Amino acid sequence: MAALPKAISNWLYNLVYHERSVAYVKVDAQHLVVAKGGSVEHYGLSSLHIGEPVAEQLEFMEGLLPGLDLPYDMPMIELPSGRVSDLHLLAEDSCIWLIFLDATVERDNKRRIQQKAYEMTLLQERLRHLNDELQSTNEALKRSQEDLAREYQRSEALLLNVLPASIAERLKAHEQIADDHAEVSVLFADIVSFTEKARSVGAETTVAILSRFFKAADLLSERHGCEKIKTIGDCVMVVAGLPVARPDHAEALASYALELRKAAECENFAGEPLGLRIGVHSGPIVAGVIGKKRFAYDLWGDTVNLAARIQRSAEPAEIRISDATRNLLGPSFACHPLSETELRGAGRVRLWRLTA
């Protein structure tokens, strides 16, 4: 084996000391192999023939040596053994040294790193897709929640259009609604000659008049703290004193009746001011919610029946009240006595005309 130059020997010693498998091939000026050594079997170089051109035995050397500036490094060379080597070419006198330093571990590490980088790229892409899907899901969920909130608010508004707020809350808590109220005032009001006038003006005008009339009834009930219970054709039923009891229920409903009549007179129906017949009576009633799908909050009892009959006995544009209601009104209300009136189911009843 040819002796290595001292500088190369020291360099190789340092490589071997750091546990790197090293082999070398010495090539003369004619590029013939003149020596080989080190771990040549490790690199598949043991079959190299001394005295033969190096390029014919190692394909990667073909066309490399002429005119090459040395020293020169070639990283990651695939060798016949299947191993990977870093090739270092060094010049010494007229010879060239080919130093093979095992880079298989580095190659494998690089491949692992590349594989990990590829896998990381896939994971990042998958994560991006998952984030996009999550964002889309969150946006869809947000829209669904907003839709549900709107539907809930709509349902709440519809429920409050049918029921007093406190009754609606009890109903949502699955409570059976059946209450006795000892002192309330009940009002019925209907439109004078409604059927005849409706026939003369047609459906569109009739519906418009009813809409304005019932809207006024709703607004005034809110203003005076009363509850509109229901509409029956052209008739409206209103009560004061429930669901929360109030000592001035008769006064509240009397004020309501006066303003409702005034509001009606501002409307024109078939060429005439809208006239109402209004009846009011005070006393005990039973209130409750009936039905399931089309439930209703309603009132029952003699007080309700008598209020309805008083309303039917009233003259056009007249507000008639019972003696019981009159006794609950303060001096600020002007009432004129009427003669006793025969009412079905109640006999002769003393009534009053509320004027102001």
Side-chain angles (χ1 to χ4, degrees), residues 81-148:
S81 65
R83 290 189 173 274
V84 177
S85 171
D86 289 338
L87 175 60
H88 303 275
L89 289 82
L90 304 173
E92 193 265 329
D93 295 333
S94 60
C95 295
I96 298 173
W97 292 83
L98 280 62
I99 310 300
F100 295 89
L101 178 62
D102 196 341
T104 304
V105 173
E106 287 83 347
R107 188 271 315 270
D108 293 343
N109 287 338
K110 182 177 181 181
R111 287 179 177 176
R112 280 194 291 270
I113 292 172
Q114 289 173 337
Q115 180 64 26
K116 292 295 183 184
Y118 175 70
E119 293 173 356
M120 183 63 69
T121 300
L122 291 180
L123 287 173
Q124 290 174 341
E125 185 66 15
R126 179 59 179 160
L127 181 60
R128 186 182 67 80
H129 284 303
L130 288 174
N131 285 334
D132 290 343
E133 291 175 2
L134 179 60
Q135 183 176 356
S136 297
T137 301
N138 287 336
E139 290 174 354
L141 179 60
K142 182 180 178 181
R143 288 193 297 270
S144 297
Q145 290 174 334
E146 291 172 349
D147 291 341
L148 285 174

Side-chain angles (χ1 to χ4, degrees), residues 17-31:
Y17 179 78
H18 288 92
E19 301 180 356
R20 305 288 292 276
S21 296
V22 177
Y24 64 87
V25 175
K26 185 177 181 181
V27 180
D28 63 14
Q30 285 73 41
H31 303 157

